[in-house]
Amino acid sequence: MPSAPIYLSPPDVGPAEEVAVLRALRSGWATPFGPEVDAFEQEVSQRVGVPYALALNSGTAALHLGLLCCGVRPADVVLVPTVTFVATANAVLYSGATPVFVDCDPATGNVDVELLGEVVADLRRAGRRIGAVMPVDMFGSCVDYDPLLALCREAELPVVEDSAEALGSTYRGRHAGSFGDAGVFSFSHNKMITTTGGGMLLSHDADLIARARHRANQARIPAQHHEHDQMGFNYRLSNVLAAIGRAQLSRLDEMTARRRRLREHYSKLFASVDGVEVLAENDPGSNCWLTVIVVDPQLTGWHAADLARHLAQADIETRPAWKPMHRQPLFAAAEARLTGAADQLFARGLTLPSGSSLDERQIDRLTGEIHGFVDQHA
Ligand SMILES: *Cc1c(COP(=O)(O)O)cnc(C)c1O
């Protein structure tokens, strides 16, 4: 009997989520607001240690509102790491501003903070208005926030933290999502927890979240009739999906532990293979969302893509690390400050199955396939 495919990061849902959906439906709140939404906001807010939170129908919506409510305007530039998912940069486009891309630290894939400082100085010298800086906590590893926040405070730049991948991660004892003027989580199907699609915007600033809440609900003013004072958006999260989110959040620690065990498993597996490193391996605060290996073909004698092909034949899904934004057709004409690190990570990186729902049998099969490939090439 052929075995079932192994996916990169499939949703991990079960009885707790079923119970939650029924509870929400039977309560009558099949609505984009309601008690499950309120409770989900409170629970995430408490978990992350940020007092105000707004549940939304995607992480991308949260990024968009975060930028708008931090005062980003058309004609601004916004600094975005070139290694990220396109949503970060698309949110900048939605706001009418222009992204300027910055290369990464090769050890983590996160933005190169020193280079970011140079770009800020150069843009300022050229008289450009920088609307915001968007650090992205890549693959669940926090950006080096001490220098980044010092830099942004000094330059008086708002920070919108894209923590879509980093729920549960920490940096020096503080939670991902708590570092910026606004922080963003995604609850897309492949993230740490899922609502099948959803996101959240968090802030230490009550007024910022109030303004974002207004915009997310078509900028509707309380009145008997429909009255609107701004361009608004239909960005609210369904109460039924918020219930799924609460069940998922209650399982976050357990699910994170399973991803961490997988990361440790990969670390051991590749420890003896010269030329293979696990990205951000030494970050104790990572939630281990996805494990990325970086393959130096000069030392291994094989490329990341060769392993990917081998695993694909065994119905095991892998993916290259994010294709840098400066290589996307969408951003062919965009400004970018590059060192070559992002290009190298794209050429050499491979994202391995990292889901919290992988069972022992799947992990054994995966391990066998990787051993087989490595031995064959030794
Ligand atoms: C997933 C992701 C997003 C977008 O989240 P959605 O909920 O899918 O809109 C944004 N940024 C990064 C870095 C992501 O990985």
Side-chain angles (χ1 to χ4, degrees), residues 274-313:
D274 228 18
V276 179
E277 306 276 348
V278 172
L279 191 71
E281 188 167 19
N282 300 318
D283 176 6
S286 173
N287 62 9
C288 302
W289 174 56
L290 293 183
T291 294
V292 180
I293 55 166
V294 181
V295 178
D296 180 347
Q298 308 245 279
L299 293 173
T300 54
W302 47 271
H303 292 265
D306 298 324
L307 175 57
R309 241 184 327 271
H310 177 86
L311 293 176
Q313 277 162 10

Side-chain angles (χ1 to χ4, degrees), residues 7 27 31 43 66 100 133 172 196 273 289 308 356 363:
Y7 295 110
S27 75
T31 41
E43 287 162 7
V100 171
V133 173
R172 301 194 175 156
T196 73
V273 184
W289 174 56
S356 49
I363 297 171

Side-chain angles (χ1 to χ4, degrees), residues 58-60 63 84-85 87-88 136 162 164-165 186-188 191 198 322:
S58 73
T60 311
L63 290 168
T84 187
F85 176 55
T88 321
V136 182
D162 183 346
E165 303 173 0
S186 165
F187 311 124
S188 180
K191 295 289 179 5
W322 297 121

Side-chain angles (χ1 to χ4, degrees), residues 238-256:
S238 150
N239 190 64
V240 178
L241 301 186
I244 299 178
R246 294 180 67 199
Q248 288 266 287
L249 188 66
S250 75
R251 297 178 49 225
L252 175 62
D253 289 333
E254 163 226 325
M255 293 194 292
T256 305

